[in-house]
Amino acid sequence: MSDMVEAKWNELLAPGGGMRVSESPLHGAFAELIRVAHAEPGLRRFFPWTGMWELHLSRCTEVPYTWDIPYIGILRSDAYYVEGPSRRAPRIIETHSPYEAVAAVLDRLPPHEGPAFTGTADQLAAFESPQEDIPALG
């Protein structure tokens, strides 16, 4: 796990779970989701980011992030949903278990073996695209 990825997970695992609204009834469910997702090595290699009570995972560490991994959100204090990878994709599952939500994401991970790429989604795409052969000089 890269230092940037590990630091972000640690930030989310700290009291408050990365969200600033600790008095919300969603806070406890979100903190549990972060703990469950972090415990899964298959997800821990990705860069986590949050917003709107959703946990997103990116294959890169800087904005703009990748949007090729389904994300998990909170419906209410006792329910989770998995959607994605894009906002236009249909809902995959609704469940009362953060473990089931995490399992649904794991089942839909794109092929990616290494840790999150240090950089943006555009830089990652350039890195992953086949390089044209450059003829040798001379």
Side-chain angles (χ1 to χ4, degrees):
M1 181 178 348
S2 78
D3 290 344
M4 291 178 74
V5 171
E6 185 174 6
K8 186 61 175 183
W9 276 110
N10 287 336
E11 175 187 323
L12 294 177
L13 289 165
M19 301 301 273
R20 305 291 179 237
V21 194
S22 60
E23 64 275 0
S24 169
L26 301 178
H27 184 266
F30 195 74
E32 179 66 9
L33 171 61
I34 299 296
R35 285 189 294 274
V36 170
H38 178 263
E40 177 51 58
L43 299 186
R44 201 169 46 236
R45 64 187 170 173
F46 298 110
F47 187 83
W49 60 279
T50 61
M52 301 180 349
W53 297 107
E54 295 172 344
L55 172 62
H56 296 260
L57 300 164
S58 175
R59 293 188 310 114
C60 65
T61 61
E62 297 175 24
V63 175
Y65 300 121
T66 59
W67 277 81
D68 54 358
I69 299 173
Y71 55 93
I72 304 170
I74 308 290
L75 287 169
R76 36 187 193 282
S77 62
D78 66 345
Y80 303 88
Y81 62 88
V82 177
E83 292 180 349
S86 74
R87 291 262 185 230
R88 294 181 303 277
R91 183 156 293 171
I92 295 167
I93 186 175
E94 289 184 16
T95 179
H96 292 283
S97 167
Y99 297 96
E100 285 182 33
V102 164
V105 172
L106 283 167
D107 288 344
R108 291 162 178 83
L109 287 178
H112 175 68
E113 296 301 319
F117 177 84
T118 301
T120 67
D122 295 334
Q123 292 167 331
L124 173 60
F127 177 78
E128 289 179 335
S129 69
Q131 302 296 315
E132 292 183 29
D133 289 335
I134 300 172
L137 297 177

